[in-house]
Amino acid sequence: MATTPGFLTDWPWKHLGSFKYVILAPWIAHSVYSFLTKEQCERDSTNLLIFPFLLSRMLHNQLWISFSRYRTAKGNNRIVDKGIEFDQVDRESNWDDQIILSGLLFYVFNTLNCKASKLPLWRLDGVVMSTFLHAGPVEFLYYWLHRALHHHYLYSRYHSHHHSSIVTEPITSVIHPFAEHIAYFLLFAIPTLTTVFTGTASLTSLFGYITYIDVMNNMGHCNFEFIPKWIFFIVPPLKYLMYTPSFHSLHHTQFRTNYSLFMPIYDYIYGTMDKSTDLTYENSLRRKEDSPDVVHLTHLTTLESIYHLRLGFSSLASMPHENHKWYIWFMWPVTLWTMITNCIYGRTFILERNSLEKFNFQSWAIPRYNLQYLLKWQSKAINRFIEDAILQAEEKGAKVLSLGLLNQDEELNRSGELYIERHPKIKIKVVDGSSLAVAVVLNSIPKGTTEVLLRGNLTKVAFSLASALCQRDIKIATLYKSDYEKLKLATTSSRSNFVLSKRFDQKNWLPRRAMSAARVAGIVHAVEGWNVHECGDKMIDVDKIWEASIKHGFIPLPFSE
């Protein structure tokens, strides 16, 4: 919200929440019904195309968001070296409100004005007119409107809401109070209404102009620079006619410079061009990819897990994976397409980046699903992905690589030991988080517990946990005789603490994996500077890694009775 919200700050349908889309339902239904029932000569294709155009705008914006988050995580050409806070993601979650508003205005104007109906696909005079009207009145009026919005009275009531996002991403461009959006729509209506009233409008001039605004808005709010320098060298006047992401990023960090919409010429004319614009642009272009200290290697789980990546929909990424939404079923064409793409052309990709003090962390994802890890014939390909990721992380200077759950499967790669044997000279340390997983369970058992039930497959974590529990003189119950025999055989002392249970009422049930500890373990390894692997049969001292994790604030304190 703005500092002191003014009149018409909230959107009229804010109280509807996710049901706000029903506002368009009557218009869409009427559009389709009219098209189907009228004679061919009376059908209005312009009206019918409004809804598909709105959907294309939503898809267009989402593609920009995903691309921008991926590039920002990589780090090359990044402009502002800060992350996006959760409150910004929440504040910008209503970016589709302006698409709903534009749809309503399209439908209303199309209904009230017969000149806006049955538009031809192309008219050159209308396209030329829209171009000159935008470069002239629209850009000029926007410049002065924007400067007015930075006056303390309007800024505190309206525009400060937009400037709450210091680090921008594409969709920041449309995050404004309702009243401010009305002003922008009136401004951008100058070319569209002029072409309609002069009879020169076409589908290209109308939808093309809105698409142009979306492209330039999204591009200008990316937090990475990608406009090549040679463009301005070949066409020097373009410097005054097209802005760059670094140009507008300076407006969000300096506030009193670079007010122009898409054409910086008015900042040059009125002396509001930031003096560091060219330097910021060149420095951003020269910036290389980040060199992570820690890489966490994870993987996709179910087919729908792509929607829970931070590269995609924030509303889904913020929810537990188990909370499936009904509309996910209607997105199966997209889901199937991503699955096929991952299987054929997939490659390990960067999910996100984080920082702690002087350390940089990245999460990389392997484009393989849980089901594929269960297939023997997929093992070779998955191992190749993991091995390539380790070597790539080594090349980038990472000190530690932590393996996600299925990536450290003992049958697949012996908890990562396979890669150390193949590349004994690598400097990067491979960590599976098993020691920390054991430490979490041990420190979560209430004081006074005398017996626990161990369930699940007997893995490295299970054996280590059983050994640690025996040393604490806690009895370990198992449900199967085979597990009972294996545990007794693997433990050299305190074998009398193992019990073959025939009941299910023990106080504590310890699953095979208490948590996904690999990511935290990798960070602790880097921060503490430990120069050892934790893979295969290798373990870190449980008490040592627990104390280090607590010191750095990663693990909650154990509870006690």
Side-chain angles (χ1 to χ4, degrees):
M1 294 294 288
T3 309
T4 55
F7 178 64
L8 290 181
T9 292
D10 290 332
W11 290 76
W13 46 78
K14 180 179 179 181
H15 65 284
L16 294 177
S18 298
F19 293 99
K20 60 188 177 183
Y21 305 106
V22 300
I23 296 172
L24 292 174
W27 298 96
I28 297 171
H30 178 264
S31 174
V32 175
Y33 177 78
S34 298
F35 188 83
L36 294 177
T37 56
K38 289 183 178 180
E39 297 293 334
Q40 186 171 358
C41 59
E42 298 179 351
R43 290 175 178 171
D44 182 10
S45 58
T46 304
N47 186 270
L48 184 69
L49 289 173
I50 292 176
F51 179 59
F53 178 65
L54 299 181
L55 292 179
S56 70
R57 290 188 67 196
M58 296 185 74
L59 176 61
H60 176 215
N61 288 338
Q62 184 57 55
L63 290 174
W64 271 103
I65 294 172
S66 299
F67 177 59
S68 176
R69 289 177 180 172
Y70 170 72
R71 279 293 304 270
T72 303
K74 287 183 66 178
N76 54 317
N77 310 128
R78 190 163 57 235
I79 303 169
V80 180
D81 197 20
K82 294 181 180 178
I84 295 175
E85 302 293 337
F86 287 118
D87 61 344
Q88 177 177 339
V89 177
D90 293 337
R91 185 174 61 253
E92 296 180 352
S93 61
N94 67 327
W95 57 265
D96 51 350
D97 280 342
Q98 51 91 25
I99 296 180
I100 295 175
L101 178 60
S102 67
L104 285 174
L105 295 177
F106 283 155
Y107 280 119
V108 171
F109 188 70
N110 178 267
T111 302
L112 298 180
N113 193 323
C114 60
K115 290 186 177 182
S117 303
K118 303 178 182 178
L119 296 178
L121 177 62
W122 169 265
R123 281 197 60 155
L124 179 60
D125 50 358
V127 173
V128 173
M129 184 179 294
S130 295
T131 302
F132 279 101
L133 286 174
H134 175 83
V138 173
E139 289 279 350
F140 175 77
L141 291 174
Y142 178 90
Y143 175 84
W144 288 106
L145 171 63
H146 197 179
R147 289 193 66 170
L149 287 170
H150 276 261
H151 183 275
H152 66 86
Y153 181 86
L154 292 177
Y155 185 82
S156 61
R157 286 163 175 78
Y158 298 103
H159 202 54
S160 59
H161 179 70
H162 177 70
H163 274 276
S164 298
S165 303
I166 304 298
V167 182
T168 61
E169 60 176 347
I171 214 59
T172 304
S173 60
V174 294
I175 303 303
H176 303 283
F178 179 67
E180 199 170 328
H181 260 294
I182 294 297
Y184 295 145
F185 272 113
L186 291 175
L187 195 61
F188 296 139
I190 292 174
T192 55
L193 292 182
T194 301
T195 55
V196 168
F197 289 131
T198 58
T200 59
S202 65
L203 294 176
T204 303
S205 65
L206 178 63
F207 294 150
Y209 180 59
I210 302 301
T211 302
Y212 164 75
I213 293 173
D214 285 344
V215 170
M216 297 301 290
N217 260 334
N218 286 323
M219 182 196 76
H221 286 79
C222 287
N223 189 30
F224 62 95
E225 187 59 75
F226 64 98
I227 305 299
K229 196 173 181 179
W230 58 264
I231 288 182
F232 300 107
F233 180 78
I234 295 176
V235 188
L238 202 59
K239 179 180 180 179
Y240 306 99
L241 302 177
M242 186 184 78
Y243 76 165
T244 66
S246 54
F247 171 93
H248 193 72
S249 179
L250 281 169
H251 175 71
H252 275 259
T253 55
Q254 304 302 319
F255 299 105
R256 299 293 182 182
T257 57
N258 296 7
Y259 291 104
S260 293
L261 179 56
F262 307 140
M263 299 170 62
I265 187 172
Y266 294 103
D267 282 297
Y268 282 104
I269 292 174
Y270 296 108
T272 53
M273 172 65 70
D274 196 289
K275 294 179 180 179
S276 63
T277 298
D278 291 339
L279 180 62
T280 303
Y281 169 72
E282 292 177 3
N283 287 341
S284 300
L285 281 179
R286 286 195 295 263
R287 182 162 186 166
K288 304 298 182 182
E289 284 191 27
D290 283 345
S291 297
D293 297 292
V294 179
V295 171
H296 176 63
L297 191 61
T298 183
H299 55 84
L300 300 172
T301 53
T302 65
L303 296 181
E304 295 83 6
S305 63
I306 59 166
Y307 302 117
H308 292 264
L309 304 179
R310 69 186 303 273
L311 300 177
F313 303 103
S314 301
S315 57
L316 288 176
S318 63
M319 298 178 184
H321 191 202
E322 297 78 24
N323 291 355
H324 295 292
K325 294 295 183 179
W326 59 269
Y327 48 78
I328 293 295
W329 291 104
F330 294 96
M331 299 169 69
W332 259 99
V334 177
T335 308
L336 185 62
W337 173 77
T338 58
M339 182 197 70
I340 295 173
T341 303
N342 281 331
C343 291
I344 300 176
Y345 304 106
R347 53 181 297 182
T348 303
F349 57 94
I350 298 177
L351 281 178
E352 61 182 10
R353 69 181 184 97
N354 304 97
S355 59
L356 175 67
E357 299 174 354
K358 62 179 180 178
F359 294 93
N360 295 319
F361 313 104
Q362 288 184 352
S363 293
W364 298 0
I366 291 177
R368 290 295 180 266
Y369 304 90
N370 278 3
L371 177 62
Q372 290 171 289
Y373 278 82
L374 302 177
L375 303 174
K376 294 285 187 180
W377 57 275
Q378 283 284 321
S379 299
K380 186 176 180 180
I382 293 173
N383 274 328
R384 186 175 65 253
F385 274 120
I386 300 173
E387 186 173 1
D388 289 345
I390 293 174
L391 297 177
Q392 186 179 356
E394 164 93 352
E395 185 180 346
K396 290 190 174 187
K399 300 177 180 66
V400 179
L401 182 137
S402 59
L403 295 171
L405 289 179
L406 292 183
N407 294 325
Q408 55 180 271
D409 188 273
E410 295 180 13
E411 293 185 8
L412 181 69
N413 52 48
R414 303 196 303 278
S415 297
E417 189 176 29
L418 173 67
Y419 314 116
I420 305 304
E421 292 176 352
R422 290 180 179 176
H423 307 280
K425 294 184 179 181
I426 61 172
K427 296 179 180 179
I428 192 171
K429 301 306 172 186
V430 179
V431 173
D432 65 7
S434 54
S435 303
L436 185 55
V438 173
V440 170
V441 175
L442 289 177
N443 288 276
S444 299
I445 297 176
K447 291 181 179 179
T449 299
T450 59
E451 183 177 318
V452 298
L453 179 65
L454 186 65
R455 298 189 63 192
N457 297 329
L458 296 182
T459 62
K460 172 184 175 181
V461 172
F463 284 113
S464 300
L465 183 58
S467 177
L469 289 171
C470 284
Q471 293 175 11
R472 297 189 179 195
D473 203 28
I474 297 176
K475 292 187 178 298
I476 303 165
T478 58
L479 298 176
Y480 304 103
K481 188 174 181 179
S482 57
D483 291 348
Y484 170 75
E485 296 293 343
K486 289 178 183 178
L487 288 170
K488 287 188 65 176
L489 185 63
T491 307
T492 57
S493 61
S494 304
R495 293 184 178 181
S496 60
N497 283 337
F498 292 101
V499 178
L500 182 59
S501 178
K502 295 182 180 179
R503 57 191 178 90
F504 297 83
D505 59 347
Q506 280 85 354
K507 187 174 183 179
N508 287 75
W509 295 58
L510 300 184
R512 181 168 67 99
R513 292 187 176 99
M515 60 170 289
S516 180
R519 184 172 184 174
V520 174
I523 296 174
V524 172
H525 265 67
V527 175
E528 289 292 313
W530 294 339
N531 193 29
V532 293
H533 294 292
E534 186 196 32
C535 55
D537 295 329
K538 298 180 179 68
M539 295 279 289
I540 305 292
D541 182 83
V542 172
D543 293 330
K544 180 180 177 181
I545 195 168
W546 175 258
E547 291 172 3
S549 300
I550 292 293
K551 181 175 70 174
H552 297 291
F554 289 116
I555 304 297
L557 292 173
F559 61 86
S560 59
E561 293 181 333

